[in-house]
Amino acid sequence: MVLLGPPGTGKTHLATALGIVAARHGHRVLFATATDWVTRLTDAHRQGRLPQELARLRRYALIIVDEVGYLPFEQDAANLFFQLVSIRYEHASLILTSNLPFSGWGGVFGDQAVAAAMIDRIVHHADVLTLNLDPPMRFRRVGSA
């Protein structure tokens, strides 16, 4: 599943709720931001244990990647993220949230070809939901101004 839309539309909230439901049904679930996933994979790569880390992550029924597109990735980071997507492809579930439409992902990953290949794998079996509230949803505490 891919949840697209501007900030404040509930993408992270919905992804978290779906992860909780999956966990309550006995599925193994991991949640982190895209930047956190890249950091985790970069550390594993530097320590010479990337294949083991990818194999371990493949055993989770659901991985949630929040905030794809908030920060651009360097080429090595984009390639590591692509590997995460690739090991999930047709094997296990991914939920991704992004504030960018797919047309903007080439700039995030620094390479249109890598972005296109990744998007192809992601959307092949995915539900893509665009969340757009007009006007944007605003929350405030009771009693605050």
Side-chain angles (χ1 to χ4, degrees):
M1 175 174 281
V2 182
L3 304 170
L4 302 174
T9 55
K11 299 177 303 293
T12 300
H13 184 82
L14 182 55
T16 301
L18 292 169
I20 290 168
V21 169
R24 286 183 178 163
H25 281 90
H27 300 287
R28 296 176 72 196
V29 179
L30 288 174
F31 176 102
T33 66
T35 303
D36 290 339
W37 285 114
V38 167
T39 299
R40 180 180 184 151
L41 296 172
T42 299
D43 290 346
H45 181 66
R46 286 183 184 145
Q47 296 169 8
R49 56 178 185 78
L50 181 62
Q52 295 88 344
E53 181 66 8
L54 290 171
R56 192 175 77 72
L57 292 174
R58 193 168 189 232
R59 292 191 296 259
Y60 283 82
L62 173 60
I63 287 182
I64 300 171
V65 182
D66 196 29
E67 300 179 349
V68 175
Y70 280 80
L71 296 172
F73 294 132
E74 295 180 11
Q75 189 64 46
D76 289 342
N79 289 335
L80 290 169
F81 191 80
F82 177 78
Q83 289 184 56
L84 176 64
V85 169
S86 292
I87 64 153
R88 310 294 298 168
Y89 180 61
E90 294 195 334
H91 177 74
S93 296
L94 269 175
I95 296 176
L96 295 103
T97 72
S98 180
N99 64 329
L100 296 175
F102 290 127
S103 61
W105 285 28
V108 172
F109 295 103
D111 184 327
Q112 289 293 343
V114 169
M118 189 175 335
I119 292 165
D120 183 56
R121 283 167 178 77
I122 291 168
V123 302
H124 183 223
H125 297 294
D127 291 313
V128 179
L129 301 176
T130 301
L131 305 172
N132 193 4
L133 300 175
D134 190 23
M137 191 169 20
R138 302 278 185 228
F139 295 98
R140 63 180 188 177
R141 287 187 174 159
V142 175
S144 66

